[in-house]
């Protein structure tokens, strides 16, 4: 896998159109709470501005040819917590990019925020993200039963 290019806290309408398409792809977002909303360029720009305005970071990852994925780092500076969430291009999934994006996001988080704790969560059905978290040294701290509504039932 080639190295990735990282952009921090950037917004480019033409580039972000792909991310909006990913967010509106219900099959690709089946493990994300984002699947419950309709996204457009304006809503995504507002999300990024709000994230940055609240002390977080929006990371965009590229290879030499295309957009690979994003990461959102949500911070709670009072409690010293940083939460990492990643999104991988549908064209790049199952090729190790999720692990690479998460690893680079974790490095960025540690270098720029020095958090007391890093928090990550995923759906119980998102086995790929669970593997990434365990391989990255994270430990299961809690299972939040019934927190998500999927297919009209609590998961």
């Amino acid at each position: 896998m080639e190295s990735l290019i990282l952009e921090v806290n950037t917004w480019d309408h033409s580039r972000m159109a792909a991310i909006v398409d990913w967010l509106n792809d219900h099959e690709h977002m089946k493990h994300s709470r984002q699947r419950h909303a309709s996204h457009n360029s304006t809503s995504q720009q507002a999300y990024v501005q709000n994230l940055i305005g609240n002390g977080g970071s929006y990371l965009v990852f590229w290879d030499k040819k295309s957009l690979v994925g994003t990461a959102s780092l949500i911070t709670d500076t009072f409690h010293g917590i940083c939460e990492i969430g990643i999104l991988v291009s549908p064209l790049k999934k199952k090729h190790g990019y999720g692990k690479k994006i998460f690893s680079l996001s974790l490095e960025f988080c540690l270098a720029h925020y020095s958090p007391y704790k890093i928090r990550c969560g995923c759906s119980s059905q998102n086995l790929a993200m669970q593997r990434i978290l365990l391989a990255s040294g994270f430990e299961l701290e809690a299972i939040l039963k019934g927190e998500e509504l999927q297919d009209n039932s609590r998961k």
Side-chain angles (χ1 to χ4, degrees), residues 71-139:
S72 296
L73 280 62
I74 302 167
T75 59
D76 176 345
T77 53
F78 181 80
H79 293 103
I81 296 172
C82 185
E83 183 170 343
I84 301 173
I86 66 168
L87 176 59
V88 179
S89 162
L91 301 175
K92 301 290 185 176
K93 68 182 186 177
K94 297 184 181 180
H95 295 286
Y97 285 100
K99 185 174 181 181
K100 182 72 170 177
I101 288 171
F102 187 79
S103 175
L104 292 170
S105 301
L106 185 57
E107 287 177 27
F108 183 93
C109 177
L110 292 168
H112 291 83
Y113 295 108
S114 301
Y116 163 74
K117 184 176 196 173
I118 299 172
R119 185 169 54 204
C120 305
C122 66
S123 163
S124 62
Q125 298 171 347
N126 191 345
L127 301 179
M129 191 65 208
Q130 289 176 38
R131 284 190 296 271
I132 289 169
L133 292 171
L134 291 173
S136 300
F138 282 73
E139 295 177 2

Side-chain angles (χ1 to χ4, degrees), residues 11 13 15-25 38-45 67 87:
W11 178 260
H13 284 283
R15 292 176 178 178
M16 293 302 157
I19 295 170
V20 170
D21 288 344
W22 303 347
L23 291 167
N24 287 319
D25 179 341
S38 178
H39 302 275
N40 58 46
S41 182
T42 303
S43 67
Q44 186 63 12
Q45 183 176 9
L67 182 60
L87 176 59

